[in-house]
Amino acid sequence: VQLQASGGGLVQTGGSLRLSCATSGFTFDLHTIGWFRQAPGKEREGVSCIRISDGTTYYADSVKGRFTISSDNAENTVYLQMNSLTPEDTAVYYCAADRLRGPTDWAHIVDEYDYSGKGTQVTVSS
């Protein structure tokens, strides 16, 4: 199983980034796939996810209206378009997948996801 996150970088406040999560080794459309982030000194935050089977999405209040999650089912890839970035968005962003827990659970997951990968650093300068 692989979840390969990419697309992070350094941007100024108000800028945009598009994260990609390329997956392999599991049945893509039977999972909810999304992103969580971890900033130094802060708790892990479930940012957004999408249930592949029906496209139901979840967004944390902190990113609602600024981030958009989407999937390319043919490529087994999930994207996170991040606009209007602020320094508070600075964190390592991780891609994760879960078979049983979906969009209504994403904010409350405190244990390990079924699958997760190495993160990509997002840094927003003021």
Side-chain angles (χ1 to χ4, degrees):
V1 172
Q2 287 192 333
L3 292 91
Q4 182 65 50
S6 61
L10 172 64
V11 294
Q12 292 185 332
T13 296
S16 298
L17 286 172
R18 188 194 194 205
L19 304 185
S20 298
C21 175
T23 75
S24 63
F26 62 95
T27 307
F28 186 76
D29 56 5
L30 292 182
H31 287 74
T32 293
I33 302 173
W35 301 86
F36 65 95
R37 65 187 180 185
Q38 183 78 60
K42 295 185 179 180
E43 292 187 355
R44 188 178 79 181
E45 180 183 19
V47 174
S48 179
C49 71
I50 182 168
R51 184 164 55 210
I52 302 301
S53 62
D54 64 4
T56 301
T57 58
Y58 160 80
Y59 297 97
D61 287 343
S62 58
V63 307
K64 202 170 293 183
R66 302 187 297 121
F67 290 12
T68 303
I69 194 167
S70 61
S71 68
D72 183 335
N73 294 2
E75 296 294 330
N76 288 357
T77 299
V78 170
Y79 301 98
L80 186 68
Q81 178 67 44
M82 307 188 297
N83 299 329
S84 303
L85 287 162
T86 74
E88 287 67 40
D89 296 314
T90 295
V92 179
Y93 284 70
Y94 299 86
C95 180
D98 208 272
R99 172 69 177 87
L100 296 179
R101 293 174 291 189
T104 58
D105 306 303
W106 204 257
H108 311 296
I109 295 174
V110 296
D111 58 348
E112 296 298 320
Y113 297 85
D114 288 349
Y115 310 118
S116 61
K118 294 182 179 180
T120 184
Q121 176 72 46
V122 172
T123 303
V124 185
S125 63
S126 58

